[in-house]
Amino acid sequence: GIQVEQSPPDLILQEGANSTLRCNFSDSVNNLQWFHQNPWGQLINLFYIPSGTKQNGRLSATTVATERYSLLYISSSQTTDSGVYFCAVNSGGGADGLTFGKGTHLIIQP
Amino acid sequence: EAQVTQNPRYLITVTGKKLTVTCSQNMNHEYMSWYRQDPGLGLRQIYYSMNVEVTDKGDVPEGYKVSRKEKRNFPLILESPSPNQTSLYFCASSRSRDATYEQYFGPGTRLTVT
């Protein structure tokens, strides 16, 4: 099956800093999503981005499908940005769900 | 508000006592699925459904059952729970009949089996 690798696994930043999270995948994808899992365990949809670039406030994402990677940018970090960020993909057009990466654990210190 | 709901949110039970976790979506979505999340193993799909009365196994279906009698509901049934089913469970839905479109996740159900 498709492999999804996220980097870095852990990241500690001061409030106000910018960060870039990376997701590499091993095959072509039909679906790529970024999620934020907050400290209460909830998965929050950030972006549905199988290709191209999107922005939502302080967050933006870019997927270069031909090179099999996606980047999530967080600018002017806030403590509420802390949590785990997951990249998840679907490959092959099947109904068998999303394959998740192991996540990037982000801690924003005040 | 468009959403996926799950109940209960937290459950502590004993080995062998049948339980059902409900999942409901109000977006008229075709596709629904269940995932479990475990430390070190990440999120893995248990079962999915492409339409009413159509269900299929995901990566880790053993010990679980599902049904899809109505479009909006997709309950997860553990007929004889065991401690290795202690996990965080998520229900998800999507407007397409497969996983190629955006998936929306419920808030999660934290299950402990003693």
Side-chain angles (χ1 to χ4, degrees):
Chain A
I2 191 169
Q3 304 298 310
V4 182
E5 294 182 0
Q6 293 186 240
S7 60
D10 301 282
L11 188 57
I12 302 174
L13 298 172
Q14 295 296 312
E15 204 167 19
N18 302 329
S19 58
T20 300
L21 282 57
R22 187 176 179 102
C23 171
N24 292 334
F25 42 94
S26 61
D27 204 347
S28 60
V29 297
N30 304 291
N31 180 358
L32 189 147
Q33 292 184 243
W34 283 97
F35 297 92
H36 175 213
Q37 188 165 36
N38 63 24
W40 296 270
Q42 295 177 316
L43 280 172
I44 310 300
N45 283 40
L46 298 178
F47 293 102
Y48 167 70
I49 188 164
S51 64
T53 297
K54 291 186 177 180
Q55 181 159 4
N56 184 4
R58 296 182 295 103
L59 274 61
S60 63
T62 296
T63 297
V64 183
T66 53
E67 297 187 21
R68 298 182 182 168
Y69 73 89
S70 183
L71 301 173
L72 176 68
Y73 304 97
I74 305 174
S75 64
S76 304
S77 299
Q78 301 175 357
T79 55
T80 52
D81 294 332
S82 296
V84 183
Y85 289 80
F86 289 103
C87 170
V89 304
N90 173 268
S91 178
D96 53 352
L98 294 171
T99 299
F100 283 78
K102 294 187 183 301
T104 292
H105 187 197
L106 177 63
I107 297 173
I108 304 298
Q109 297 178 331
Chain B
E1 178 188 357
Q3 60 183 348
V4 179
T5 58
Q6 296 179 225
N7 282 292
R9 295 287 313 281
Y10 303 91
L11 179 61
I12 301 174
T13 189
V14 296
T15 299
K17 185 177 181 181
K18 181 178 179 179
L19 67 92
T20 299
V21 183
T22 65
C23 172
S24 183
Q25 49 90 9
N26 62 0
M27 297 170 278
N28 200 37
H29 280 174
E30 301 282 347
Y31 182 90
M32 298 184 74
S33 62
W34 279 100
Y35 292 80
R36 61 178 288 175
Q37 184 179 24
D38 303 289
L41 297 174
L43 285 104
R44 296 173 293 168
Q45 191 182 51
I46 303 170
Y47 268 97
Y48 63 89
S49 169
M50 293 185 286
N51 206 342
V52 174
E53 303 292 0
V54 180
T55 63
D56 207 346
K57 298 176 181 178
D59 297 321
V60 287
E62 294 78 21
Y64 304 94
K65 287 177 59 177
V66 293
S67 68
R68 188 92 180 272
K69 293 182 169 48
E70 303 168 285
K71 196 173 188 179
R72 64 183 294 127
N73 296 322
F74 190 44
L76 180 69
I77 303 158
L78 286 72
E79 294 206 327
S80 183
S82 61
N84 64 12
Q85 292 178 298
T86 292
S87 188
L88 178 59
Y89 291 87
F90 291 99
C91 179
S93 73
S94 174
R95 66 180 175 95
S96 67
R97 289 194 174 189
D98 55 28
T100 57
Y101 282 88
E102 186 171 10
Q103 307 279 308
Y104 295 86
F105 281 74
T109 294
R110 202 171 290 275
L111 173 66
T112 302
V113 183
T114 61

